[in-house]
């Protein structure tokens, strides 16, 4: 952070300089460290928190939940291959723009990158023609219906169960060109893109073609700039406004500043610790519900290992080793999930008590009926005899 | 327009470098002598790439399949879904044979260390991609054939540890399997030949088979580099009486309820072939619209003539901008008998034992040739291999190579592979006796009286051909004649599948547990109750009760309030 500043008098001592700067340094640290919104975002899935505003709720739900790996997929949608011949150099663009960011985020999670081109893929909404702009527009309200028909063709990875971040680049067909996205106030969005929380982003790329078919080389710089910003939002890098009088310096070639990475490590560790704790607590509750469940030794070992990892993670967080804390929290999650999802803990494997009654009653009830009847008869006879004896005495 | 397209593809070929993909699509229409008509679609995508772990970029090759292939290190993948049985004697030989049900065979790369684990995961992932129940494939119906399923692509690996073959004869094919299969095509079902694939007509047919074949092939005749080839095929036979309403007149609209309007813009070649070999002067049937392009192709050992419609040429569509071919018959024809044919049935009576008979017909007048017979029998039909007999023309015919792997209960099936020499113009019969096993009561399917399916036998052979075959595989020949690699000029490779068998196993009465509970409870209650009463009853002397008439009169008097008798 740089300070656009007040001029200073020359010839003061060190102590005065430090005293002068202390207030500004505190302001900088306030911005760079963990704030209330970070905690809210990290724990929003586990703890019921009340939100001051709708934007606060939306902000906390935007980022993906913590996971050991993610799949990033870039898709080019071409609804009209007859008139548009599109070429995109995705390999080089990914190498120069996205790969540095993902390499810097390597301690957070594993990333795998993919790209594909889909032909004859249309958006789910018919854009309306706006004569004032002389173009077709997609309203902000209709954006939630855009994704559905496309999603069937995108295909999540068949080979892994990691969550997928989809980035779509849509080139509108010749009959609906040019296409702009308008926000709630009817102004066109500069980047012509929007993002859907916990899913991905879509950008509309307009081409001018007077004579069809037209050969187009897509400008990957502009496209990757938008996708990179959306990727940062999806992964939970919270951007906070600097206090007045300060400027934010450019972050390195990776697109992510070191202090932003630290904040991400911290919030991920907190989220993982909360998740692991919830899992182990649920396991304990399950044991209370089913009295005769059998816990194998390996499950007990996993649970104790998970608890040990949790304690180590919390200890490292207190000390401030964020990388180690994240590693321990990831191990804690892995062990707690392995213990919880073990096949031997299936609820249905154990007989509830009412089923046991249902099996034994048809066998024992017919036997008990004559015994009960004769007991009743014996009791009646005994009472009668006692009455007779009483009468005889009298 | 055509030259413009040519130039673009020349330019693309020169410039595209690492990730060259080319798409070809074709449709072959062959009228059959029984009045039915056979349509075969083939779509081929070539992909030139190395697999880098973690980053893969797909353009025309489908991403879901590419990820599966790179994760499980698959070298060749062949999967087919078939509804119906191909009648060889009435219809001749198909271009791509397939057994009824689902068949999957995979060659893994030799870098795979745990082939069984990879096979189990692969079948589960494929069953998700194709919406089929391939997850029923496990060790009880998977075999490793030693000779019948050699790699169809490049490579000289002969270690059958990397091969797995499984067939599910009970699998039913319907629209929910066709839709994900169509999604793998680059143009989808929006343009090109795939617009004809509408399920309401395709499944209203005698035979329907969709398949996917993935293998590495040579890029050009020098074979310096290999590319990956993905072929998707769909074979369908429309019945004369069901779809044709009894009239021997076929058109694209009658078969598919659609006509062709354009070629797929991503395809470098899009053609329709109609078999006119038996119709040189137009005396058998009339084909309209006429086309000047004729092509002679050597396929299945015979030289056939085809009328070709090139969809990349706008002139093919004519004034109406749509192509609807019409074939109208004038006279009846007789058919060339197929050279190799197989049948299978179960003989015997009762639910204890039985006999499997496999018949192989060699209809060649003077040439004998060897065939490889592969039989996979599930473990619950216990084969007695000492009763295996092979007879031709009444005499014993000893196979020159037998590979037999006995079954293990609930672990793996029987595998029997034999190399049998078929004498000319004869029937060879293979018989083996078996005994039916009694399964545990949880192993029966919900409808056990339907029976249990035994997968088709596979007969693979190099059949002598009347015409010299073309061994140069890289010339521009149509897709339907270049599927099976051709190593010699005088014979061609053919695979024939027999019928699946439906066998009844001794089925227990599943209501017995309920009956046992009822009976036991009743016996215990009645027996114990009576015994207890006898032991604890006290006897008292009582007056004899009055007769029935007096008792009824007493009831009436009590109701009236009158003193009793």
């Amino acid at each position: 952070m740089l300070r656009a500043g007040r001029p200073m008098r020359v010839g003061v001592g060190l102590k005065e300089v430090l005293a002068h700067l202390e207030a500004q340094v505190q302001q900088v640290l306030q911005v760079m460290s963990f704030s209330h919104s970070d905690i809210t975002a990290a724990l929003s899935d586990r703890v019921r928190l009340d939100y001051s505003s709708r934007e606060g709720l939306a902000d906390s739900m935007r980022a993906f939940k913590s996971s050991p790996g993610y799949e990033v997929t870039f898709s080019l949608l071409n609804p009209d291959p007859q008139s548009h011949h599109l070429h995109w150099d995705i390999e080089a663009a990914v190498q120069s723009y996205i790969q540095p960011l993902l390499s810097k985020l390597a301690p957070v999670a594993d990333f795998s990158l993919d790209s594909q081109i889909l032909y004859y893929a249309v958006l789910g909404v018919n854009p309306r023609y706006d004569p004032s702009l002389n173009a077709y527009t997609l309203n902000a309200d209709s954006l939630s219906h855009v994704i559905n028909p496309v999603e069937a063709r995108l295909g999540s990875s068949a080979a892994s169960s990691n969550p997928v971040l989809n980035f779509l680049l849509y080139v509108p067909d010749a009959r609906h060109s040019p296409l702009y996205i308008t926000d709630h106030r009817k102004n066109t969005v500069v980047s012509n893109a929007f993002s859907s929380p916990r899913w991905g982003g879509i950008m509309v790329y307009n081409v001018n073609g007077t004579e069809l078919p037209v050969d187009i080389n897509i400008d990957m710089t502009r496209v990757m700039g938008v996708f990179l910003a959306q990727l940062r939002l999806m992964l939970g890098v919270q951007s906070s406004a600097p206090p007045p009088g300060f400027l934010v310096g450019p972050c390195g070639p990776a697109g992510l500043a070191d202090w932003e990475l630290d904040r991400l490590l911290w919030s991920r560790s907190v989220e993982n610790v909360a998740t692991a704790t919830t899992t182990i607590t649920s396991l304990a509750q399950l044991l209370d519900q089913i009295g005769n469940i059998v816990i194998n030794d390996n499950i007990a070992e996993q649970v104790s290992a998970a608890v040990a990892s949790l304690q180590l993670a919390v200890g490292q967080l207190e000390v401030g080793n964020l990388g180690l804390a994240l590693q321990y929290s990831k191990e804690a999650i892995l062990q707690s999930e392995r213990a919880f999802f073990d096949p031997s803990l299936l609820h249905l494997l154990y007989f509830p008590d009412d089923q046991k009654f249902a099996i034994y009653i048809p066998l024992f009830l017919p036997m008990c009926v004559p015994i009960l009847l004769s007991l009743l008869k014996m009791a009646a006879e005994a009472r009668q005899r006692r009455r007779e004896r009483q009468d005889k005495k009298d | 327009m055509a030259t413009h397209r040519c130039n673009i593809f020349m330019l693309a070929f020169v410039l595209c470098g690492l990730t060259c993909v080319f798409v070809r699509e074709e449709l072959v229409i062959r009228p059959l002598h029984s009045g039915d008509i056979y349509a075969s679609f083939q779509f081929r995508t070539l992909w030139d790439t190395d697999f880098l772990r973690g980053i893969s970029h797909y353009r025309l090759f489908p991403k879901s399949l590419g990820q599966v292939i790179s994760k499980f290190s698959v070298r060749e993948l062949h999967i087919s879904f078939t509804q119906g049985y191909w009648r060889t004697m009435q219809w001749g030989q198909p271009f791509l044979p397939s057994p009824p049900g689902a068949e999957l065979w995979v060659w893994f790369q030799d870098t795979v260390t745990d082939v069984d684990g990879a096979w189990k995961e692969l079948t589960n992932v494929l069953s998700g991609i194709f919406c089929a129940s391939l997850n029923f494939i496990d060790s009880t119906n998977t075999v490793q054939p030693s000779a019948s399923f050699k790699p169809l692509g490049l490579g000289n690996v002969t270690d059958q540890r990397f091969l797995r073959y499984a067939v599910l004869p009970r699998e039913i094919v319907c629209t929910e399997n066709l839709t994900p299969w169509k999604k793998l095509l680059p143009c989808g079902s929006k343009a090109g030949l795939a617009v004809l694939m509408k399920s309401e007509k395709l499944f209203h047919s005698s035979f329907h088979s969709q398949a996917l074949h993935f293998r590495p092939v040579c890029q050009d005749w020098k074979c310096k580099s290999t590319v990956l080839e993905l072929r998707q095929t769909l074979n369908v036979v429309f019945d004369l009486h069901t779809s044709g309403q009894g009239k021997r007149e076929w058109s694209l609209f009658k078969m598919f309820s659609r006509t062709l309007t354009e070629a797929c813009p991503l395809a470098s070649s899009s053609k329709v072939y109609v078999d006119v070999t038996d119709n040189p002067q137009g005396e058998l049937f009339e084909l309209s619209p006429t086309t000047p392009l004729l092509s002679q192709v050597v396929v299945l050992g015979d030289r056939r003539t085809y009328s070709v419609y090139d969809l990349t040429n706008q002139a093919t569509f004519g004034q109406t901008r749509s192509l609807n071919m019409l074939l109208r018959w004038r006279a009846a024809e007789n058919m060339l008998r197929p050279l190799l044919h197989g049948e299978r049935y179960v003989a015997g009576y009762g639910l204890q034992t039985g006999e499997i008979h496999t018949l192989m017909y060699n209809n060649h007048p003077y040439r004998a040739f060897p065939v490889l017979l592969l039989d996979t029998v599930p473990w619950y039909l216990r084969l007695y291999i000492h009763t295996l007999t092979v007879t031709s023309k009444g005499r014993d015919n000893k196979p020159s190579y037998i590979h037999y792997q006995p079954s293990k209960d609930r672990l793996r099936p029987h595998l029997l592979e034999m190399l049998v020499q078929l004498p000319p113009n004869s029937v060879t019969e293979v018989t083996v006796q078996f005994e039916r096993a009694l399964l545990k009561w949880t192993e029966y399917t919900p409808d056990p009286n339907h029976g249990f399916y035994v997968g088709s036998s596979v007969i693979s052979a190099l059949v002598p051909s009347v015409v010299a075959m073309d061994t140069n595989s890289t010339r521009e020949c149509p897709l339907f004649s270049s599927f099976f690699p051709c190593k010699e000029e005088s014979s061609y490779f053919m695979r024939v599948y027999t019928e699946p068998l439906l066998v009844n196993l001794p089925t227990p009465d599943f209501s017995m547990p309920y009956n046992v509970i009822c009976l036991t409870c009743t016996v215990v209650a009645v027996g114990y109750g009576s015994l207890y009463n006898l032991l604890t009853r006290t006897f008292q002397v009582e007056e004899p009760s009055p007769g029935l008439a007096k008792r009824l009169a007493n009831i009436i008097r009590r109701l009236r309030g009158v003193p009793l008798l």
Side-chain angles (χ1 to χ4, degrees), chain A residues 85-153:
Chain A
H85 294 153
L86 300 174
H87 306 283
W88 71 340
D89 191 6
I90 187 71
E91 291 95 341
V94 151
Q95 200 63 29
S96 43
Y97 294 102
I98 307 287
Q99 194 59 32
L101 173 66
L102 297 183
S103 313
K104 191 153 183 183
L105 284 171
V108 178
D110 299 319
F111 290 92
S112 70
L113 274 174
D114 265 306
S115 81
Q116 60 177 341
I117 303 187
L118 294 178
Y119 297 96
Y120 293 103
V122 290
L123 297 181
V125 175
N126 270 330
R128 248 177 293 153
Y129 185 72
D130 192 349
S132 61
L133 291 168
N134 200 17
Y136 290 85
T137 57
L138 269 181
N139 208 352
D141 298 326
S142 58
L143 288 178
S144 43
H145 305 292
V146 163
I147 296 177
N148 237 350
V150 186
E151 179 135 29
R153 303 219 21 210

Side-chain angles (χ1 to χ4, degrees), chain A residues 71 73 81-82 85 87-91 94-95 99 111-121 152-160 164 213 215 362-363 366-368 370-372 374-375 377 381, chain B residues 1 4-5 8 11 19 54-60 62-64 67-68 71-72 121 125 129 183 185-188 190-191 262-266 517 520-521 524-526 528-529 532-533 536-538:
Chain A
E71 290 232 355
T73 305
Q82 193 81 289
H85 294 153
H87 306 283
W88 71 340
D89 191 6
I90 187 71
E91 291 95 341
V94 151
Q95 200 63 29
Q99 194 59 32
F111 290 92
S112 70
L113 274 174
D114 265 306
S115 81
Q116 60 177 341
I117 303 187
L118 294 178
Y119 297 96
Y120 293 103
R153 303 219 21 210
L154 287 177
S156 52
S157 168
S160 79
V164 182
D215 242 331
L363 201 57
M367 284 202 290
C368 293
I371 297 180
L372 271 176
S374 47
L375 278 176
K377 212 163 38 154
E381 275 180 21
Chain B
M1 183 61 192
H4 184 69
R5 187 182 289 276
I8 282 191
L11 199 63
T19 50
I55 302 180
S56 306
H57 299 276
Y58 303 92
R59 283 183 164 73
L60 288 169
K63 174 168 89 102
S64 47
Q67 283 174 330
V68 168
K71 181 173 185 203
F72 297 108
E121 275 193 57
V125 169
I129 293 181
K183 254 208 273 186
L185 297 171
C187 270
K190 303 279 175 36
E262 55 166 351
C264 176
L266 307 164
I517 292 178
T520 318
C521 293
V524 166
V526 168
Y528 178 79
Y532 181 82
N533 272 338
T536 56
R537 195 174 294 163
T538 53

Side-chain angles (χ1 to χ4, degrees), chain B residues 169-216:
Chain B
R170 212 185 161 117
E171 185 70 18
I172 302 180
V173 185
C174 52
T175 313
E176 68 170 14
N177 304 115
L178 183 66
T179 312
W181 185 90
K182 279 200 285 190
K183 254 208 273 186
L184 298 174
L185 297 171
C187 270
S189 50
K190 303 279 175 36
L193 290 173
V195 297
L196 295 178
M197 298 189 208
K198 292 294 163 194
S199 31
E200 64 263 6
K201 281 292 192 170
L202 276 184
F203 289 100
H204 196 59
S205 56
S206 317
F207 177 83
H208 167 95
S209 166
Q210 65 203 46
L212 188 134
H213 300 276
F214 172 80
R215 59 184 178 170

